[in-house]
């Protein structure tokens, strides 16, 4: 019905607003100077106004969410905001245990990126269908696509040029973050462990770490892992009956893997 479609469109708008607010805040935390090839809000207006701008976008999203008038949808989408904050805290920390490090990275990736897509997909499915099985399929699809999206993003940080990517390359290393390519490279170059624990803070750490990643199969391993997540997303969505929409969602998983910016 038109009413359901209007509410689903509202969910999409709210999700994009939450996402935009999180990017504005992230750029303040990271002191970033470019985003999507343009100057960041904090570079143009300063940190204080950027924080307030992010807060304003989030408040507008909250008002739009309240207007939908569905308590289940409110609960699902507010979970995204909680996960974003928890993900940011996870990003500030790191694990000494090498075996725990990858689990920590994937948990952070889910909370900072995939939760938004997973819970948005779930919210739309709740509005369109009463079957909890469909809600879970939508959630799992979004979760897997979201994790794959971030894995490819982490690959592009090493393989794409700054002009193509729209933001500086090796940005994560400069922030002291060990992403998938770094963690895989660490298996071939154990000397990277010390750099990871000091968050690439010593002179020359960033250049050495980047060199190790490109000499290793870290990029290929991370890409392969993203492919596995996209395969799982496709497997989930194929549980729904065939339709043009289902095929579009399957094609979306392929686009996630093929993107270069």
């Amino acid at each position: 019905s038109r009413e359901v479609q209007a509410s689903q469109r509202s969910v999409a708008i709210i999700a994009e607003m939450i996402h935009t607010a999180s990017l504005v805040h992230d750029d303040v935390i990271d002191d970033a100077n470019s985003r999507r090839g343009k100057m960041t809000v904090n570079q143009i207006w300063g940190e204080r106004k950027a924080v307030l701008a992010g807060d304003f976008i989030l408040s507008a999203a909250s008002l739009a969410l309240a207007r939908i008038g569905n308590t289940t949808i409110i609960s699902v989408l507010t979970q995204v905001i909680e996960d974003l904050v928890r993900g940011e805290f996870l990003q500030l920390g790191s694990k000494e245990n090498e075996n725990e490090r990858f689990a920590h990275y994937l948990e952070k990736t889910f909370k900072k990126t995939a939760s938004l897509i997973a819970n948005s997909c779930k919210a739309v499915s709740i509005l369109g269908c009463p079957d909890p099985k469909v809600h879970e399929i939508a959630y799992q699809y979004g979760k897997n696509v979201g994790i794959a999206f971030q894995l490819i993003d982490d690959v592009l940080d090493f393989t794409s040029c700054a002009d193509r990517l729209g933001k500086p390359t090796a940005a994560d290393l400069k922030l002291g973050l060990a992403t998938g390519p770094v963690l895989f490279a660490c298996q071939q170059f154990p000397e990277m462990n010390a750099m990871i624990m000091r968050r690439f803070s010593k002179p020359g750490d960033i250049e050495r770490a980047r060199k190790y990643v490109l000499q290793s199969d870290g990029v290929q391993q991370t890409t392969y892992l993203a492919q596995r997540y996209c395969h799982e997303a496709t497997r989930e969505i194929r549980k729904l009956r065939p339709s043009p929409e289902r095929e579009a969602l399957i094609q979306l998983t392929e686009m996630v893997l093929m993107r270069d910016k």
Side-chain angles (χ1 to χ4, degrees):
S1 70
R2 287 183 181 178
E3 187 178 339
V4 169
Q5 286 184 341
S7 294
Q8 289 175 324
R9 187 172 184 274
S10 293
V11 167
I13 292 168
I14 292 161
E16 187 59 33
M17 291 172 82
I18 292 171
H19 180 223
T20 301
S22 74
L23 295 184
V24 172
H25 284 158
D26 272 3
D27 288 341
V28 172
I29 293 168
D30 301 340
D31 194 26
N33 54 27
S34 64
R35 169 76 66 177
R36 296 173 182 168
K38 298 180 181 179
M39 287 179 68
T40 54
V41 176
N42 49 297
Q43 282 291 308
I44 299 170
W45 290 344
E47 287 188 3
R48 291 184 180 183
K49 287 185 178 179
V51 169
L52 291 172
D55 291 346
F56 180 78
I57 297 167
L58 205 53
S59 67
S62 299
L63 281 172
L65 183 55
R67 288 194 194 102
I68 292 177
N70 184 312
T71 54
T72 305
I73 300 300
I74 292 171
S75 176
V76 168
L77 290 181
T78 50
Q79 182 64 48
V80 173
I81 300 170
E82 180 184 331
D83 284 345
L84 280 167
V85 176
R86 289 183 181 275
E88 198 63 52
F89 276 114
L90 283 171
Q91 185 163 287
L92 293 174
S94 58
K95 293 288 185 181
E96 288 189 33
N97 188 310
E98 293 172 43
N99 295 325
E100 293 178 2
R101 215 175 268 156
F102 213 94
H104 182 270
Y105 164 65
L106 288 177
E107 185 183 0
K108 182 269 298 182
T109 297
F110 169 74
K111 291 190 182 302
K112 283 205 68 180
T113 305
S115 173
L116 173 73
I117 302 174
N119 284 296
S120 299
C121 289
K122 182 178 180 179
V124 166
S125 74
I126 289 169
L127 288 167
C129 174
D131 188 351
K133 290 180 181 178
V134 173
H135 306 163
E136 183 61 18
I137 290 168
Y139 179 87
Q140 291 299 330
Y141 170 83
K143 174 185 173 181
N144 284 286
V145 165
I147 293 175
F149 183 92
Q150 187 58 51
L151 289 170
I152 294 298
D153 210 59
D154 294 341
V155 164
L156 292 175
D157 197 41
F158 288 94
T159 60
S160 184
C161 66
D163 288 344
R164 190 73 182 157
L165 198 56
K167 57 184 178 182
T169 54
D172 291 325
L173 287 176
K174 291 168 187 172
L175 293 170
L177 304 178
T179 57
V182 173
L183 297 176
F184 279 120
C186 192
Q187 296 172 2
Q188 291 172 261
F189 297 98
E191 53 268 45
M192 292 181 72
N193 277 308
M195 286 190 278
I196 290 171
M197 288 313 300
R198 62 177 178 256
R199 298 177 77 88
F200 313 103
S201 58
K202 281 191 177 181
D205 275 358
I206 292 170
E207 291 75 17
R208 281 175 62 209
R210 182 175 171 79
K211 184 180 75 171
Y212 283 141
V213 168
L214 296 177
Q215 286 177 351
S216 73
D217 62 358
V219 164
Q220 293 90 335
Q221 290 268 49
T222 307
T223 303
Y224 174 66
L225 185 59
Q227 289 170 344
R228 283 171 56 191
Y229 276 104
C230 279
H231 176 76
E232 183 60 23
T234 300
R235 192 182 71 81
E236 285 290 337
I237 211 67
R238 284 194 188 279
K239 293 176 182 177
L240 301 180
R241 60 178 174 76
S243 67
E245 292 78 15
R246 191 188 77 166
E247 292 310 304
L249 290 170
I250 291 169
Q251 287 178 26
L252 183 62
T253 66
E254 296 167 6
M255 290 168 64
V256 165
L257 295 172
M258 297 301 291
R259 72 190 184 93
D260 59 0
K261 62 179 180 177

